[in-house]
Amino acid sequence: TPQIFTGGDRPFGQFPPFLTPLTAMFLHGSWDHLLGDIVFLWVFGTQLEQLLGSLRFPLLYLLSGVCGALGYVMFDGGATVALLGASGAVSGVIAGYLMVRPCEPLAVPIGRFELRIAAYWAVGGWLLLQLFQFLWHTEEEVFSTLAQAGGALGGAIAFFALVPRGTRLFQCLH
């Protein structure tokens, strides 16, 4: 919880607070939360891992996740709702994908149909959904949107540092 970083209770005893942003990425509140993170990671992470390689990609993932947790702490330091999940990490991967393949067509299932739209539209729609969730949230939902914002921002910065030289960013190939 953000409260342990700002001097509040430490519900897990002597577990070092600085490790909780890392451990939170590997815990999830429900099976559908875990499945959602896996699907987003599969859709956006596969091509990014090929570009960054097997060493830089996990580093991007971990840095994005830590930035997501710190984003939650920064915006709501007194919160007692635990941050669980990889939302910040996955958001950083999505930000990196958007920097490399903004116009890549993505298939969005709508009932029995499939809509193919450019990545920037799909991610833009997802960002609007996050904004609406943040503006009209319950107390338990706020951590998700704050972690996603922190993860996306941190992931974009980390991606700039990790991307191989000569990689063209923000290019539409068609």
Side-chain angles (χ1 to χ4, degrees), residues 22-107:
L22 286 173
T23 58
M25 279 185 267
F26 300 101
L27 301 172
H28 285 78
S30 64
W31 286 105
D32 60 331
H33 182 200
L34 176 63
L35 182 62
D37 281 347
I38 288 171
V39 167
F40 272 90
L41 192 58
W42 174 60
V43 168
F44 293 102
T46 304
Q47 290 184 29
L48 216 53
E49 184 179 14
Q50 290 174 354
L51 173 68
L52 294 176
S54 60
L55 198 58
R56 290 179 187 176
F57 180 76
L59 188 57
L60 172 68
Y61 181 86
L62 292 173
L63 287 171
S64 298
V66 168
C67 287
L70 294 177
Y72 177 34
V73 171
M74 189 173 77
F75 286 107
D76 196 2
T80 58
V81 177
L83 175 64
L84 295 175
S87 298
V90 172
S91 296
V93 169
I94 291 171
Y97 181 90
L98 194 58
M99 293 165 72
V100 175
R101 306 244 188 273
C103 298
E104 187 78 17
L106 297 175

Side-chain angles (χ1 to χ4, degrees), residues 105-146:
L106 297 175
V108 179
I110 300 175
R112 295 180 357 185
F113 301 99
E114 185 177 274
L115 177 65
R116 297 188 64 76
I117 59 175
Y120 63 87
W121 284 110
V123 173
W126 175 77
L127 288 171
L128 282 176
L129 177 63
Q130 302 315 304
L131 176 63
F132 289 134
Q133 276 185 319
F134 178 72
L135 294 175
W136 295 283
H137 65 275
T138 65
E139 185 64 30
E140 292 78 27
E141 293 172 330
V142 70
F143 69 87
S144 176
T145 56
L146 294 174

